[in-house]
Amino acid sequence: MIAPTALLALDTLLTEEEREIRNTVRRVCDKEIRPHVAGWFETGELPARELARTLGEVGVLGMHLEGYGCAGMGAVSYGLACLELEAADSGLRSLVSVQGSLAMYAIWKYGSEEQKQEWLPAMAAGERIGCFGLTEPDFGSDPGGMRTTAKREGGDWVLDGTKMWITNGSVSDVAVVWARTDEGVRGFLVPAGTPGFTVNDIKHKISLRASVTSELVLDGVRLPADAMLPGARGLSGPLGCLNEARFGIVFGAMGAALDCLETTIAYTAEREVFARPLAAYQLTQEKLADMAVELGKGLLLALHLGRLKEAGTLTPEQVSVGKLNNVREALEIARKCRTLLGASGITLEYPVIRHSVNLESVLTYEGTSEIHALVIGKALTGIAAFK
């Protein structure tokens, strides 16, 4: 028997440092996450602050950023960390993605030096948590329609509006909130506890239960002028952040798929049907082979995009190719694995159903499959099918 990733000798494409980073994150997940995550999923709770400090000690929070206490690792190293985090649970990778690729990246890319010094070192250490407020109740795929406003009053800004489906919301020390102004869309840093700023957790989720998801309500929130991110003007600011986070999903989704496939190979080798291991049947082996091939293709795609990102040539439509393909294929692998586990596949004794329902959310957040298909379609035809 060989591991699914060994089928195409994928480790030969990684540097020794990249393999060590991957293995380090895997060890942390094995020790701190896997023994507890099914319970967190079942209760709909996550010890986010404790986990953030643990992940900060490992150096994965904002690990692809330079300076301010960040590790400054390459894109592939960051992607491999996302893979291992999501192999444990999509909610864990979401915590890290939102912290590093959305909240921290927005401050790192568009913030003033004072804002960077105030927030980034503590966020890299996991001592402070951030969230990213772009999506609204009526505007997800169309962020240009946002209704949240920021108006000048003297030397201050006053924000009004609502943001929805915000990961890390209620555990965050700062929210990066995007609002419409007379100068176009601008980003603002809203510290927790600011008068008029309230956060409500979203309950009754079936997916991403081991993740904090919240609604942000801004009712006359008054901020000083220096709360605005000076380097971001227009939708290119938040969309640039989203492209960073989507890159992590390209790797992360394959982590969920890998965990499902490894679990299923082990299960079918032990489960006997008609006095033979389930793995001995041709139909089973065909399913396992098909899933291993799709997993290998997805990992090769992720690695290729990672190398392009490290070279500074990665384009948004290439990220869309990765997100569209890898999440779609990961979800199909999870569903097929569930069939091989039979009734055991719907229990939290095994991770497969948890990955499957989590991937239903990953399929639609940070750009639905339809939106990414249209991004690719525009690149191919030169014609935009949406505004």
Side-chain angles (χ1 to χ4, degrees), residues 294-332:
E294 293 305 321
L295 175 73
K297 288 158 60 178
L299 288 170
L300 287 169
L301 173 58
L303 285 169
H304 176 59
L305 297 184
R307 299 303 181 204
L308 291 178
K309 186 169 174 48
E310 290 173 343
T313 60
L314 184 65
T315 65
E317 55 266 26
Q318 289 169 339
V319 176
S320 287
V321 171
K323 207 268 187 180
L324 175 65
N325 180 81
N326 284 13
V327 179
R328 185 169 60 190
E329 295 307 320
L331 183 55
E332 181 60 27

Side-chain angles (χ1 to χ4, degrees), residues 140-347:
S141 296
D142 179 19
M146 74 171 64
R147 293 178 180 145
T148 298
T149 60
K151 297 180 180 179
R152 289 187 183 273
E153 285 192 9
D156 295 339
W157 289 96
V158 177
L159 276 62
D160 289 281
T162 302
K163 300 296 183 178
M164 197 68 170
W165 309 114
I166 308 303
T167 298
N168 298 350
S170 66
V171 296
S172 288
D173 299 283
V174 64
V176 178
V177 174
W178 301 91
R180 185 178 299 282
T181 76
D182 291 338
E183 307 166 1
V185 172
R186 305 300 297 261
F188 298 86
L189 300 183
V190 185
T194 302
F197 180 43
T198 57
V199 183
N200 306 304
D201 278 345
I202 297 171
K203 303 292 186 180
H204 311 300
K205 295 184 299 178
I206 300 300
S207 178
L208 289 179
R209 290 180 55 77
S211 178
V212 177
T213 311
S214 309
E215 173 194 47
L216 311 183
V217 180
L218 303 108
D219 184 8
V221 173
R222 184 174 293 273
L223 300 171
D226 61 7
M228 185 178 70
L229 296 172
R233 186 186 298 270
L235 280 174
S236 61
L239 294 181
C241 299
L242 284 171
N243 216 44
E244 287 291 309
R246 289 164 180 159
F247 171 79
I249 293 174
V250 176
F251 278 85
M254 290 292 97
L258 175 61
D259 195 48
C260 288
L261 185 53
E262 288 180 336
T263 298
T264 302
I265 291 172
Y267 179 89
T268 57
E270 295 180 358
R271 176 76 161 95
E272 288 197 356
V273 180
F274 302 114
R276 299 180 68 198
L278 183 57
Y281 290 91
Q282 291 181 358
L283 288 175
T284 301
Q285 292 194 10
E286 181 186 33
K287 289 181 179 182
L288 296 176
D290 285 346
M291 290 188 287
V293 168
E294 293 305 321
L295 175 73
K297 288 158 60 178
L299 288 170
L300 287 169
L301 173 58
L303 285 169
H304 176 59
L305 297 184
R307 299 303 181 204
L308 291 178
K309 186 169 174 48
E310 290 173 343
T313 60
L314 184 65
T315 65
E317 55 266 26
Q318 289 169 339
V319 176
S320 287
V321 171
K323 207 268 187 180
L324 175 65
N325 180 81
N326 284 13
V327 179
R328 185 169 60 190
E329 295 307 320
L331 183 55
E332 181 60 27
I333 287 171
R335 289 169 174 168
K336 192 173 289 186
C337 285
R338 212 292 300 164
T339 67
L340 287 170
L341 266 67
S344 295
I346 66 167
T347 76

Side-chain angles (χ1 to χ4, degrees), residues 68-91:
Y68 307 99
C70 301
M73 295 293 180
V76 170
S77 292
Y78 171 59
L80 292 169
C82 288
L83 184 150
E84 293 299 331
L85 292 165
E86 194 144 1
D89 192 80
S90 297

